[in-house]
Amino acid sequence: MVVKRRNHGRAHRGRGKVRPIRCDNCARSVPKDKAVKRFHVRNIVDAAAIRDISDMSAIEGYQLPKLYLKVQYCISCACHSHLVRVRSAVTRRDRRPPQRFNRASRN
């Protein structure tokens, strides 16, 4: 039988069934090992208000806390929002992780 992916799109080696989670975008029920998981780190306040808050702050050099979110998407929403891309049959065989870029070195 023709197999499109080596792991059949799952990551549950030897676990049997895996508990489902809900997609954060469309609320579809997806197995936890199949969902596309990303970790978003954002500022709690928007960029326009950061300067106003830092000017009014009594503490010098106070670092505003960040908002840490773990988002989980189904495959359809991950493809639609360009988190993962469709790859050809040849490039699907490549198991190396995608090239990561360093945000600090972009300046």
Side-chain angles (χ1 to χ4, degrees), residues 4-40:
K4 192 171 185 180
R5 287 175 186 82
R6 177 179 163 176
N7 63 354
H8 305 290
R10 306 279 301 268
H12 71 107
R13 293 284 171 235
R15 259 188 287 277
K17 291 186 85 172
V18 180
R19 109 183 143 78
I21 56 113
R22 292 299 197 146
C23 172
D24 286 338
N25 193 34
C26 68
R28 173 184 278 170
S29 182
V30 189
K32 186 178 179 188
D33 61 324
K34 189 172 190 169
V36 177
K37 295 171 274 296
R38 295 291 184 266
F39 204 63
H40 286 275

Side-chain angles (χ1 to χ4, degrees), residues 75-98:
I75 298 297
S76 302
C77 291
C79 290
H80 183 72
S81 58
H82 304 293
L83 291 174
V84 292
R85 310 242 177 214
V86 177
R87 296 194 292 171
S88 67
V90 175
T91 56
R92 271 199 302 264
R93 302 291 170 243
D94 183 16
R95 294 178 53 82
R96 287 179 289 145

Side-chain angles (χ1 to χ4, degrees), residues 14-71:
R15 259 188 287 277
K17 291 186 85 172
V18 180
R19 109 183 143 78
I21 56 113
R22 292 299 197 146
C23 172
D24 286 338
N25 193 34
C26 68
R28 173 184 278 170
S29 182
V30 189
K32 186 178 179 188
D33 61 324
K34 189 172 190 169
V36 177
K37 295 171 274 296
R38 295 291 184 266
F39 204 63
H40 286 275
V41 181
R42 311 190 306 220
N43 290 323
I44 287 182
V45 293
D46 58 337
I50 288 178
R51 185 169 171 210
D52 297 335
I53 292 172
S54 61
D55 289 343
M56 299 300 289
S57 177
I59 303 169
E60 288 298 321
Y62 177 69
Q63 195 73 17
L64 285 170
K66 295 195 178 289
L67 186 66
Y68 297 92
L69 293 171
K70 183 175 184 182
V71 291

